[in-house]
Amino acid sequence: MFGKRQANSAALETPKAVKKEQAPVPVQAAAVPMDIRDTSEEYYETKATIFNALFETIDVSALAGMQPQKAREEIRNIVDEIIAIRNVRLSVAEQNQLITEICDDILGYGPLEPLLARDDIADIMVNGAKDVFIETNGKMEKTNIRFRDNQQLMNICQRIVSQVGRRVDEASPICDARLLDGSRVNVIAPPLSIDGPALTIRKFKKDKLTLDDLVNFKSISPAGAKVLQIIGACQCNVVISGGTGSGKTTLLNCLTGFIHPDERIITCEDAAELQLQQPHVVRLETRPPNLEGKGRVTMADLVKNCLRMRPERIIVGEVRGPEAFDLLQAMNTGHDGSMGTLHANSPREGLSRLESMITMGGFSLPARTIREMIVGSVDVIVQAARLRDGSRRITHVTEVLGMEGDVIVTQDLIVYEMDGEDAQGKIIGEHKSTGIARPAFWDRARYFNLEKELAEALDAAGS
């Protein structure tokens, strides 16, 4: 069969996908016709057999040089012949599914491709080859998707991280990376992960969410969204606080949408995932150490370097260590409107986390000095939360006012009050103003001619 394909190789575009140096590998017809509809195990065995026969026939490096559509056509033609000779009983739909999966294995992300194509999935969690979970609408569920074996899963993990210049193997078994669309990826490989590679993908929606979308999702009220818009536009220094999966990065993306196009913005991230729309944006990304353990560039290094790049705003994807000190220094030295996110369950806890991260960085400063630095730097804390029904809400918009003794004084402008739940278990609640008519950033809003809109928004939030 494959000798015939080589004889007709003029019909193929250069580079040829069929191997030239090897003699064609004969494929013996199965003694008993196989039907993949019997059990999923038999389906995977059939797929593995066809996949192995395909690999003996094609030149994968040549496929890489083809256009994706042409490569898929070449794979389809060869797989069609293998199926015919092996007398595998397949319907047209089943054969198309098998060919699509094999193409994805060779050219894409294998079994993950259909999950990555779905925009309703927030997270993909792979716990070894056999267990794949997804999160939709705030709830986790197990899928029937699986990998051929742990080696296939590891190959796909390596394919993902290599696209952004990173690696994952036994010598470097932990890796943070991203997909080309900005989706966040974490891989932890054996021997640290006992049951096979563990892959976690935090997906980004193809269409960038806006504050209007958050209003439609009831994450914030229309009046609250207007307050956040003014906070973003009038160069308040903002810290977005929240737990894992609460929507911090999405909210940060929304707030950056109100930055003036003329401002120079520099972003610092472990894995570049922010999607800023302004024309003057410099994106920086940390770097892990190389094989010799050298060359590491930390978040603190990036934030320090930002100060030499004439930024007007510095955006830190996530503050989790000593870079907190450098970010506060930037906020306090003329880089108004800087923003960052951190993990905390309340605005008050967020302030404590900032203090502890600075202390962990080895800065031997008195506690009061650190708190004064926080007060002089942070204007607003926006708290995000994922509620028990899976919904995401902005629960607090809180100002940092000053110090009373050794205690940082804050005041809530908008809070989310839960009133109970409906018959389907969905949380019922609403965003309410605390009655503060003139917040501490009033003068800043007036400087940008936004004080009237701020007053109207706060009045609407209280009604």
Side-chain angles (χ1 to χ4, degrees):
M1 173 190 70
F2 299 109
K4 180 180 179 181
R5 289 191 59 78
Q6 287 179 320
N8 295 332
S9 60
L12 301 178
E13 290 185 1
T14 302
K16 305 295 188 295
V18 179
K19 294 181 179 178
K20 291 182 176 180
E21 298 178 358
Q22 286 185 323
V25 179
V27 182
Q28 300 296 330
V32 179
M34 292 176 292
D35 190 336
I36 67 169
R37 292 168 292 185
D38 292 341
T39 64
S40 60
E41 285 299 325
E42 191 165 0
Y43 169 77
Y44 284 107
E45 290 174 7
T46 303
K47 178 182 171 184
T49 302
I50 295 174
F51 187 87
N52 292 334
L54 175 68
F55 244 75
E56 293 294 330
T57 308
I58 63 172
D59 184 351
V60 177
S61 61
L63 282 177
M66 289 184 173
Q67 293 293 329
Q69 188 58 39
K70 180 63 179 176
R72 285 180 178 267
E73 290 175 4
E74 183 67 20
I75 293 171
R76 173 180 289 274
N77 292 336
I78 300 175
V79 171
D80 282 342
E81 295 183 13
I82 295 174
I83 290 174
I85 283 188
R86 285 188 166 260
N87 196 23
V88 181
R89 293 202 303 264
L90 296 169
S91 68
V92 173
E94 290 167 336
Q95 184 166 331
N96 286 336
Q97 177 185 345
L98 186 139
I99 292 174
T100 298
E101 290 180 3
I102 289 178
C103 289
D104 289 340
D105 288 346
I106 297 175
L107 304 173
Y109 300 134
L112 296 178
E113 287 286 347
L115 300 181
L116 293 171
R118 286 178 52 183
D119 208 31
D120 61 324
I121 296 177
D123 290 273
I124 302 170
M125 294 146 283
V126 183
N127 306 337
K130 308 299 184 188
D131 296 318
V132 179
F133 294 80
I134 60 173
E135 179 191 315
T136 56
N137 299 320
K139 300 293 184 180
M140 289 193 189
E141 60 182 272
K142 186 174 182 179
T143 71
N144 59 0
I145 289 175
R146 50 176 284 188
F147 292 79
R148 187 169 60 251
D149 51 36
N150 282 328
Q151 186 56 52
Q152 183 199 13
L153 172 56
M154 191 65 190
N155 291 341
I156 290 173
C157 291
Q158 290 170 338
R159 188 179 303 166
I160 290 172
V161 304
S162 65
Q163 290 179 333
V164 290
R166 304 200 175 187
R167 64 187 180 87
V168 58
D169 48 37
E170 285 191 9
S172 180
I174 300 177
C175 181
D176 285 316
R178 55 182 165 81
L179 299 179
L180 297 180
D181 65 356
S183 296
R184 185 189 313 167
V185 177
N186 176 266
V187 180
I188 181 163
L192 301 187
S193 180
I194 297 171
D195 300 320
L199 170 67
T200 308
I201 300 176
R202 172 67 55 81
K203 283 183 76 253
F204 269 18
K205 289 184 177 293
K206 295 177 183 177
D207 298 324
K208 182 174 175 286
L209 293 180
T210 64
L211 271 181
D212 289 338
D213 294 319
L214 299 189
V215 171
N216 294 334
F217 298 150
K218 299 184 179 179
S219 294
I220 187 67
S221 65
K226 186 63 178 179
V227 173
L228 291 178
Q229 176 183 339
I230 294 169
I231 287 172
C234 70
Q235 296 185 354
C236 290
N237 294 324
V238 180
V239 171
I240 298 173
S241 167
T244 300
S246 59
K248 299 186 297 297
T249 303
T250 297
L251 181 55
L252 181 58
N253 263 324
C254 292
L255 288 182
T256 59
F258 300 101
I259 297 175
H260 196 277
D262 291 342
E263 296 186 57
R264 175 173 167 86
I265 309 165
I266 301 179
T267 67
C268 304
E269 302 173 82
D270 281 321
E273 52 187 336
L274 292 175
Q275 300 170 311
L276 274 66
Q277 305 300 308
Q278 287 76 9
H280 199 163
V281 178
V282 180
R283 304 170 71 205
L284 306 180
E285 188 175 62
T286 61
R287 186 177 70 184
N290 59 21
L291 284 170
E292 291 77 30
K294 299 178 181 179
R296 183 184 183 192
V297 179
T298 66
M299 184 71 77
D301 295 331
L302 293 183
V303 176
K304 286 178 183 176
N305 191 74
C306 278
L307 303 178
R308 307 184 184 99
M309 298 174 65
R310 201 213 171 272
E312 290 180 292
R313 298 206 195 203
I314 298 175
I315 312 293
V316 178
E318 184 172 337
V319 183
R320 62 179 70 178
E323 66 272 9
F325 179 83
D326 299 293
L327 178 61
L328 293 182
Q329 288 280 72
M331 288 178 168
N332 205 12
T333 54
H335 304 94
D336 293 335
S338 296
M339 303 178 186
T341 72
L342 56 80
H343 279 83
N345 296 318
S346 69
R348 176 64 60 181
E349 185 180 326
L351 295 173
S352 298
R353 282 270 294 154
L354 278 175
E355 185 178 343
S356 63
M357 284 188 287
I358 292 173
T359 304
M360 287 163 47
F363 300 98
S364 55
L365 298 172
R368 181 177 176 85
T369 301
I370 295 175
R371 291 170 189 169
E372 288 175 345
M373 182 186 302
I374 293 172
V375 168
S377 305
V378 180
D379 297 314
V380 176
I381 299 175
V382 182
Q383 181 70 36
R386 184 170 66 172
L387 306 184
R388 67 175 185 269
D389 64 351
S391 62
R392 293 171 173 84
R393 297 285 185 269
I394 297 170
T395 59
H396 295 78
V397 179
T398 303
E399 282 192 293
V400 179
L401 297 182
M403 297 275 293
E404 283 188 4
D406 290 334
V407 179
I408 297 177
V409 179
T410 63
Q411 71 176 8
D412 295 330
L413 297 180
I414 296 173
V415 296
Y416 179 74
E417 296 185 359
M418 290 186 289
D419 299 325
E421 61 182 52
D422 61 17
Q424 288 74 40
K426 295 292 185 181
I427 299 295
I428 300 173
E430 61 178 323
H431 292 86
K432 296 182 179 179
S433 170
T434 58
I436 304 298
R438 290 174 65 96
F441 63 90
W442 178 270
D443 289 338
R444 186 184 294 272
R446 185 169 59 184
Y447 177 76
F448 287 92
N449 296 318
L450 295 171
E451 76 278 10
K452 182 178 179 180
E453 294 182 35
L454 177 60
E456 292 173 351
L458 290 172
D459 184 60
S463 60

